[in-house]
PDB file of all heavy atoms in Angstrom:
ATOM      1  N   TYR A 342       5.414  29.202   9.943  1.00  0.00           N
ATOM      2  CA  TYR A 342       5.776  28.954   8.543  1.00  0.00           C
ATOM      3  C   TYR A 342       7.294  28.888   8.339  1.00  0.00           C
ATOM      4  O   TYR A 342       7.785  27.958   7.670  1.00  0.00           O
ATOM      5  CB  TYR A 342       5.151  30.017   7.644  1.00  0.00           C
ATOM      6  CG  TYR A 342       5.276  29.707   6.165  1.00  0.00           C
ATOM      7  CD1 TYR A 342       4.591  28.631   5.621  1.00  0.00           C
ATOM      8  CD2 TYR A 342       6.078  30.477   5.335  1.00  0.00           C
ATOM      9  CE1 TYR A 342       4.697  28.331   4.279  1.00  0.00           C
ATOM     10  CE2 TYR A 342       6.187  30.177   3.985  1.00  0.00           C
ATOM     11  CZ  TYR A 342       5.498  29.108   3.462  1.00  0.00           C
ATOM     12  OH  TYR A 342       5.613  28.810   2.141  1.00  0.00           O
ATOM     13  N   PRO A 379       8.945   7.519 -11.046  1.00  0.00           N
ATOM     14  CA  PRO A 379      10.372   7.769 -10.771  1.00  0.00           C
ATOM     15  C   PRO A 379      11.088   8.096 -12.079  1.00  0.00           C
ATOM     16  O   PRO A 379      10.849   7.457 -13.106  1.00  0.00           O
ATOM     17  CB  PRO A 379      10.864   6.435 -10.191  1.00  0.00           C
ATOM     18  CG  PRO A 379       9.631   5.734  -9.717  1.00  0.00           C
ATOM     19  CD  PRO A 379       8.560   6.153 -10.669  1.00  0.00           C
ATOM     20  N   LYS A 510      -9.798   3.176   4.012  1.00  0.00           N
ATOM     21  CA  LYS A 510     -10.523   4.427   4.227  1.00  0.00           C
ATOM     22  C   LYS A 510      -9.979   5.183   5.435  1.00  0.00           C
ATOM     23  O   LYS A 510      -9.523   6.321   5.319  1.00  0.00           O
ATOM     24  CB  LYS A 510     -12.019   4.165   4.419  1.00  0.00           C
ATOM     25  CG  LYS A 510     -12.793   3.873   3.136  1.00  0.00           C
ATOM     26  CD  LYS A 510     -14.283   3.794   3.421  1.00  0.00           C
ATOM     27  CE  LYS A 510     -15.075   3.577   2.146  1.00  0.00           C
ATOM     28  NZ  LYS A 510     -16.540   3.487   2.398  1.00  0.00           N
ATOM     29  N   GLU A 526      -3.028 -19.471  18.293  1.00  0.00           N
ATOM     30  CA  GLU A 526      -3.465 -20.143  19.521  1.00  0.00           C
ATOM     31  C   GLU A 526      -4.615 -21.100  19.246  1.00  0.00           C
ATOM     32  O   GLU A 526      -4.736 -22.151  19.884  1.00  0.00           O
ATOM     33  CB  GLU A 526      -3.885 -19.082  20.553  1.00  0.00           C
ATOM     34  CG  GLU A 526      -4.374 -19.617  21.877  1.00  0.00           C
ATOM     35  CD  GLU A 526      -4.837 -18.502  22.801  1.00  0.00           C
ATOM     36  OE1 GLU A 526      -4.285 -17.380  22.696  1.00  0.00           O
ATOM     37  OE2 GLU A 526      -5.752 -18.752  23.609  1.00  0.00           O
ATOM     38  N   SER A 538       0.306  -0.462   3.479  1.00  0.00           N
ATOM     39  CA  SER A 538       1.344  -0.506   4.499  1.00  0.00           C
ATOM     40  C   SER A 538       2.742  -0.464   3.905  1.00  0.00           C
ATOM     41  O   SER A 538       3.599   0.301   4.367  1.00  0.00           O
ATOM     42  CB  SER A 538       1.205  -1.782   5.350  1.00  0.00           C
ATOM     43  OG  SER A 538      -0.070  -1.901   5.924  1.00  0.00           O
ATOM     44  N   LEU A 572       3.267 -11.444  -3.147  1.00  0.00           N
ATOM     45  CA  LEU A 572       2.713 -12.253  -2.061  1.00  0.00           C
ATOM     46  C   LEU A 572       3.846 -12.800  -1.217  1.00  0.00           C
ATOM     47  O   LEU A 572       4.970 -13.001  -1.693  1.00  0.00           O
ATOM     48  CB  LEU A 572       1.811 -13.367  -2.574  1.00  0.00           C
ATOM     49  CG  LEU A 572       2.365 -14.505  -3.423  1.00  0.00           C
ATOM     50  CD1 LEU A 572       3.013 -15.591  -2.576  1.00  0.00           C
ATOM     51  CD2 LEU A 572       1.253 -15.120  -4.263  1.00  0.00           C
ATOM     52  N   GLY A 683     -18.228  15.909   0.093  1.00  0.00           N
ATOM     53  CA  GLY A 683     -16.830  15.554  -0.066  1.00  0.00           C
ATOM     54  C   GLY A 683     -16.397  15.408  -1.512  1.00  0.00           C
ATOM     55  O   GLY A 683     -15.288  15.828  -1.876  1.00  0.00           O
ATOM     56  N   GLN A 717       6.249  21.931   3.549  1.00  0.00           N
ATOM     57  CA  GLN A 717       5.644  23.108   2.936  1.00  0.00           C
ATOM     58  C   GLN A 717       4.441  22.723   2.083  1.00  0.00           C
ATOM     59  O   GLN A 717       3.436  23.449   2.047  1.00  0.00           O
ATOM     60  CB  GLN A 717       6.677  23.841   2.073  1.00  0.00           C
ATOM     61  CG  GLN A 717       6.118  25.089   1.402  1.00  0.00           C
ATOM     62  CD  GLN A 717       7.146  25.770   0.505  1.00  0.00           C
ATOM     63  OE1 GLN A 717       8.339  25.517   0.611  1.00  0.00           O
ATOM     64  NE2 GLN A 717       6.673  26.633  -0.383  1.00  0.00           N
ATOM     65  N   TRP A 720       1.534  22.204   4.408  1.00  0.00           N
ATOM     66  CA  TRP A 720       1.043  23.517   4.854  1.00  0.00           C
ATOM     67  C   TRP A 720       0.189  24.159   3.765  1.00  0.00           C
ATOM     68  O   TRP A 720      -0.953  24.597   4.024  1.00  0.00           O
ATOM     69  CB  TRP A 720       2.231  24.400   5.197  1.00  0.00           C
ATOM     70  CG  TRP A 720       1.915  25.822   5.566  1.00  0.00           C
ATOM     71  CD1 TRP A 720       1.649  26.851   4.701  1.00  0.00           C
ATOM     72  CD2 TRP A 720       1.817  26.371   6.877  1.00  0.00           C
ATOM     73  NE1 TRP A 720       1.403  28.007   5.393  1.00  0.00           N
ATOM     74  CE2 TRP A 720       1.493  27.746   6.738  1.00  0.00           C
ATOM     75  CE3 TRP A 720       1.984  25.850   8.149  1.00  0.00           C
ATOM     76  CZ2 TRP A 720       1.336  28.586   7.826  1.00  0.00           C
ATOM     77  CZ3 TRP A 720       1.820  26.696   9.241  1.00  0.00           C
ATOM     78  CH2 TRP A 720       1.498  28.047   9.064  1.00  0.00           C
ATOM     79  N   THR A 747     -12.995   7.820  -8.999  1.00  0.00           N
ATOM     80  CA  THR A 747     -13.069   8.855  -7.968  1.00  0.00           C
ATOM     81  C   THR A 747     -11.893   8.767  -7.020  1.00  0.00           C
ATOM     82  O   THR A 747     -11.796   9.514  -6.080  1.00  0.00           O
ATOM     83  CB  THR A 747     -14.359   8.740  -7.161  1.00  0.00           C
ATOM     84  OG1 THR A 747     -14.393   7.471  -6.484  1.00  0.00           O
ATOM     85  CG2 THR A 747     -15.566   8.821  -8.084  1.00  0.00           C
TER      86      THR A 747
END
Side-chain angles (χ1 to χ4, degrees):
Y342 190 67
K510 283 187 177 180
E526 180 183 330
S538 304
L572 65 82
Q717 180 182 343
W720 175 280
T747 62

